[in-house]
Amino acid sequence: MSKSLPYSVKDVHYDNAKFRHRSFFKVITQTLFTSDMKRECVSYSTGKFLGLFMIFGLACLILTHASKTPSATDGLSKGLETNEEHKVVTDVGVRFKKLLRRAPRLPPRLSGNEKVSSGIFTGKPNEHDEEKWKARQRNVKEAFIHAWSGYKKSAMGYDELLPLSMQGFDGLGGLGATVVDSLDTAMIMGLEEVVSEAGSWIESNLLERISQKGDVNLFETTIRVLGGLLSAYHLSGGDQDMNLANTGPKPTIYLEIAKNLADRLLSAFTSSPTPIPYSDVLLKNSSAHPAHNLLSSTSEVSTLQLEFNYLSAISGDPKYKTEGMKVFAHFKTLPKVEGLVPIYISPHSGEFIGQEIRLGSRGDSYYEYLIKVWLQLRSIQDGNFTYLYDMYEEAMRGVRHLLVQKTVPNELVFVGELPGGSKGSFSPKMDHLVCFLPGTLALGATKGITKEKAMKDNLLTIEDFENLKLAEDLAKTCFEMYSVTSTGLAPEIAYFHTKDFYEDGLGGGNQSSEYVNDIIIKFNDRHNLLRPETVESLFVLYRITQDPKYREWGWQIFQSFEKYTKVDSGGYTSLNDVTTLPPQRRDKMETFFLGETLKYLYLLFGDSSVIPLDKFVFNTEAHPFPIKDAIYLEGGSFMMKGTM
Ligand code: DMJ
């Protein structure tokens, strides 16, 4: 494991101070952060004096400045800071903190390449481009129709479609998961016929299923079914007391079913002796039990809160939020490794179990929900949720310090694993699931506004820039995990060639890829389940950086899905091996292909004003809930205050 910081301020080129008039003090303080300016400064005749002055300044800083780094909460949610926090910082410390904050928040100097590709200085995309992306967006809509019609024809009412055998399969407890997961995508795409079919099925069947079905997984049911119902409620006009959908049931139907389901799911919380819920619920009698190994996954118990909080807001009943947020309050008290957490937790003791740390399976959305729940709740007056932001920032520092490495020979950035915790060895292995992280990092950095606006308004801290840089580098690696294979589709898991690890003969099969020696794909990891994480991150990064390369990458990935996963009789299928041609097919269309993958591609190619990231938060299954000024507390209960 690399002991040195793989990411440092040196990696972040964001200084364009030369475009601005700088005061004497700014010259000194900016010099602390930017190597370019350091050179400039030394060339002055007073260089030596300035150097001495810098050393003096640093000494003062160490004596007076509390070690806390600037937080986004400084600039964005001042109201959340406590008086105590203000008291511990001396006046001198405050002055130095301010000086030091200003330099890194200056807008960056974009490279020539960036200027052209970002479109920031080249004006809006031309008409031809607009038409091109509209056409590509239509292609995604057609893909969704093909997927839905395959499901409708062979599997309507089942959880999933088996597209090759043309039958349905209940792999998620039998709640018609594909119907609910697909509904808001159809609404966003304006597919009224699908909205009508899915909405009518939900209205006629779902309550009965909920009251009769047996075991379901708390997490999967919350993110896919509860999440799908809640976003359908919002998108069909529920928050505005209107019915915006021309077809399908009234929004209140979605809300009523959501409440019924959530009331049963709550038993996972109330049956557990600790704030950590059990993993499984028996819907028909509202009872809950732990998994066979008696453990809950860290990501699962911490990926329920966006849904439960929003349900409390729209139903006026705080019980969902109260139970869900107890989990985070409990996590706050647990020991961590530089903010990183083991992937198992016991609902009986409330303690982490084992030492395995990763941002892939069982770990991933813990980190995603820390920042997203903070974004959702930060404007609410009934509690201080800054601790979520702090936990997120600490965790991302931990990621940069302990998990980020670069490949040999081409220096792709990846996030590895600690199979034995902080004392064990580093594993250069990354689940495709980790590719959610670039999007989350970018969202956490700008809080959903564009990078350009965030820089103009001086909102970005050094850590925000570091996180943005990591987001962009990691998104490239995720994209290359697709490009390196014969099919242009990523494997479920990739290993990376590092100075300590290499296995020969396990490339992705695309010999023309520059990275064929950097990325290693083991036999057991060669499948592709139509997962969304990479296109999700491309969507978020495109919205935030406005760099069209993310759209182009998304288009390449979409074309590969079209070429190798489309099933003529209807639907799309998972693959067994992405490295060989023709790829062996697996006979399963996961619900998230319609709920997430195609939705993110559609939004990536479309107008950025649709579901803006500073006004909506997507749950981990891509169901958008409104945030901006939408939820607030009034007289002890939650009310809606207009949403869009
Ligand atoms: C989805 O159900 C969610 O995105 C979840 O957070 C992770 N796994 C799948 C998609 O890969």
Side-chain angles (χ1 to χ4, degrees):
M1 186 173 67
S2 165
K3 289 284 176 217
S4 62
L5 276 173
Y7 266 81
S8 73
V9 175
K10 276 185 290 180
D11 291 328
V12 185
H13 307 291
Y14 51 78
D15 169 53
N16 76 343
K18 74 175 184 178
F19 296 121
R20 286 189 177 184
H21 169 76
R22 279 172 286 126
S23 70
F24 182 69
F25 275 99
K26 275 190 183 167
V27 169
I28 295 164
T29 53
Q30 287 166 351
T31 302
L32 292 170
F33 292 93
T34 58
S35 54
D36 283 354
M37 288 194 56
K38 227 179 264 173
R39 279 194 298 277
E40 200 180 326
C41 194
V42 171
S43 73
Y44 288 157
S45 59
T46 52
K48 281 182 188 160
F49 168 70
L50 291 177
L52 282 172
F53 198 91
M54 278 166 46
I55 292 165
F56 171 70
L58 261 179
C60 286
L61 176 69
I62 290 162
L63 287 172
T64 58
H65 179 71
S67 64
K68 190 176 157 246
T69 48
S71 146
T73 54
D74 293 340
L76 293 171
S77 44
K78 281 210 166 73
L80 298 179
E81 286 184 347
T82 62
N83 288 336
E84 281 74 19
E85 275 173 319
H86 283 293
K87 278 183 207 148
V88 294
V89 184
T90 67
D91 281 345
V92 185
V94 168
R95 271 201 297 280
F96 271 106
K97 268 171 91 177
K98 282 184 181 164
L99 281 171
L100 291 173
R101 264 185 218 149
R102 275 184 199 136
R105 287 181 178 180
L106 288 171
R109 180 177 57 215
L110 298 176
S111 68
N113 198 10
E114 272 181 303
K115 283 179 200 171
V116 176
S117 75
S118 71
I120 290 174
F121 300 120
T122 54
K124 289 193 167 164
N126 63 38
E127 258 173 47
H128 169 73
D129 257 6
E130 284 299 298
E131 282 314 309
K132 177 177 92 178
W133 290 111
K134 274 188 192 153
R136 290 178 174 184
Q137 203 188 29
R138 279 196 296 278
N139 288 144
V140 179
K141 196 193 267 198
E142 279 155 24
F144 180 87
I145 292 169
H146 183 79
W148 173 259
S149 54
Y151 169 77
K152 190 178 77 170
K153 187 168 67 180
S154 306
M156 190 68 189
Y158 285 92
D159 283 333
E160 291 140 329
L161 167 69
L162 306 182
L164 303 183
S165 42
M166 294 173 68
Q167 6 171 354
F169 176 70
D170 276 341
L172 293 157
L175 301 181
T178 292
V179 183
V180 196
D181 228 0
S182 303
L183 176 59
D184 65 356
T185 308
M187 288 176 169
I188 291 165
M189 292 180 173
L191 290 169
E192 291 194 357
E193 208 179 311
V194 181
V195 174
S196 162
E197 289 160 355
S200 307
W201 186 90
I202 289 169
E203 185 171 22
S204 316
N205 299 287
L206 192 50
L207 264 186
E208 194 187 333
R209 294 277 180 101
I210 289 169
S211 62
Q212 288 175 358
K213 285 293 173 180
D215 251 337
V216 296
N217 174 277
L218 168 69
F219 159 78
E220 297 292 0
T221 310
T222 299
I223 65 168
R224 301 188 201 213
V225 182
L226 184 61
L229 289 167
L230 294 174
S231 60
Y233 168 80
H234 175 74
L235 294 175
S236 58
D239 284 326
Q240 291 131 300
D241 263 341
M242 289 161 69
N243 190 355
L244 298 176
N246 293 330
T247 59
K250 288 185 298 188
T252 48
I253 299 288
Y254 299 125
L255 179 57
E256 285 314 309
I257 303 173
K259 277 196 293 184
N260 188 303
L261 176 60
D263 286 345
R264 293 165 197 266
L265 295 176
L266 272 182
S267 64
F269 294 88
T270 51
S271 327
S272 163
T274 69
I276 301 303
Y278 287 146
S279 68
D280 295 288
V281 173
L282 207 62
L283 287 176
K284 61 182 170 201
N285 65 4
S286 299
S287 64
H289 61 88
H292 295 305
N293 62 2
L294 303 181
L295 303 179
S296 297
S297 296
T298 298
S299 64
E300 292 195 1
V301 300
S302 56
T303 308
L304 312 161
Q305 290 71 14
L306 285 178
E307 297 82 353
F308 279 60
N309 292 345
Y310 182 51
L311 179 57
S312 275
I314 59 181
S315 68
D317 189 338
K319 69 183 174 192
Y320 311 104
K321 180 185 178 199
T322 303
E323 289 302 328
M325 291 306 290
K326 278 184 197 165
V327 178
F328 278 130
H330 179 74
F331 269 111
K332 186 180 156 197
T333 67
L334 296 177
K336 306 175 185 71
V337 179
E338 300 190 26
L340 306 175
V341 291
I343 58 171
Y344 288 109
I345 189 162
S346 162
H348 291 111
S349 67
E351 303 291 333
F352 289 124
I353 303 294
Q355 298 203 305
E356 263 179 274
I357 288 174
R358 62 173 177 246
L359 272 81
S361 60
R362 302 185 190 280
D364 48 5
S365 43
Y366 163 74
Y367 305 95
E368 179 185 352
Y369 269 38
L370 284 179
I371 188 68
K372 286 186 172 177
V373 173
W374 176 76
L375 287 168
Q376 182 190 45
L377 297 182
R378 66 179 162 149
S379 58
I380 294 185
Q381 307 299 313
D382 73 330
N384 189 337
F385 300 103
T386 314
Y387 76 91
L388 294 172
Y389 188 87
D390 295 339
M391 283 161 72
Y392 168 78
E393 277 231 309
E394 189 193 4
M396 292 307 108
R397 276 197 290 276
V399 168
R400 297 197 306 266
H401 183 203
L402 296 173
L403 302 182
V404 170
Q405 282 204 14
K406 288 182 177 174
T407 64
V408 174
N410 289 308
E411 307 210 323
L412 282 177
V413 168
F414 68 94
V415 172
E417 301 182 358
L418 299 176
S422 55
K423 296 189 184 73
S425 58
F426 176 87
S427 172
K429 166 179 178 254
M430 192 168 97
D431 293 349
H432 182 273
L433 289 169
V434 180
C435 293
F436 82 95
L437 189 59
T440 294
L441 282 165
L443 184 70
T446 71
K447 285 77 192 168
I449 61 175
T450 63
K451 181 178 171 187
E452 186 188 18
K453 180 163 170 34
M455 290 192 305
K456 214 165 104 201
D457 294 348
N458 239 7
L459 294 174
L460 300 180
T461 64
I462 298 171
E463 299 214 43
D464 293 331
F465 278 110
E466 291 200 21
N467 286 341
L468 267 175
K469 171 88 171 98
L470 176 57
E472 297 219 46
D473 287 347
L474 194 56
K476 176 172 172 55
T477 304
C478 289
F479 171 67
E480 298 302 343
M481 281 166 63
Y482 285 72
S483 300
V484 81
T485 70
S486 310
T487 54
L489 292 170
E492 178 72 358
I493 299 168
Y495 284 75
F496 296 93
H497 179 182
T498 65
K499 59 184 180 0
D500 303 315
F501 176 81
Y502 186 60
E503 278 186 36
D504 207 3
L506 296 173
N510 176 10
Q511 294 310 323
S512 60
S513 162
E514 199 186 324
Y515 301 100
V516 75
N517 291 317
D518 295 70
I519 299 176
I520 296 158
I521 306 173
K522 300 197 179 189
F523 286 105
N524 289 339
D525 307 332
R526 296 183 164 187
H527 48 293
N528 179 296
L529 305 184
L530 311 169
R531 285 199 191 276
E533 289 76 18
T534 296
V535 295
E536 166 186 348
S537 284
L538 298 182
F539 156 67
V540 177
L541 274 166
Y542 174 69
R543 286 280 179 98
I544 284 172
T545 66
Q546 301 167 293
D547 188 333
K549 81 176 174 211
Y550 296 115
R551 275 182 153 181
E552 294 294 349
W553 290 356
W555 176 241
Q556 277 190 49
I557 291 171
F558 174 71
Q559 286 176 294
S560 300
F561 279 128
E562 282 294 284
K563 195 163 177 186
Y564 294 112
T565 70
K566 191 170 188 166
V567 177
D568 288 343
S569 54
Y572 289 75
T573 187
S574 305
L575 301 177
N576 275 334
D577 186 351
V578 293
T579 68
T580 51
L581 289 179
Q584 199 194 31
R585 300 190 295 176
R586 184 169 261 206
D587 198 15
K588 175 81 125 15
M589 182 171 77
E590 300 281 349
T591 76
F592 46 71
F593 185 63
L594 293 95
E596 297 194 69
T597 310
L598 293 177
K599 182 188 288 148
Y600 283 131
L601 283 165
Y602 182 84
L603 291 171
L604 171 63
F605 301 156
D607 191 322
S608 290
S609 63
V610 176
I611 317 198
L613 291 176
D614 59 339
K615 295 191 171 57
F616 285 84
V617 64
F618 284 86
N619 88 337
T620 196
E621 190 75 5
H623 298 303
F625 308 145
I627 39 170
K628 185 87 172 172
D629 300 328
I631 304 167
Y632 71 108
L633 191 76
E634 199 175 68
S637 65
F638 295 97
M639 305 283 288
M640 297 306 300
K641 179 183 138 188
T643 48
M644 306 275 286

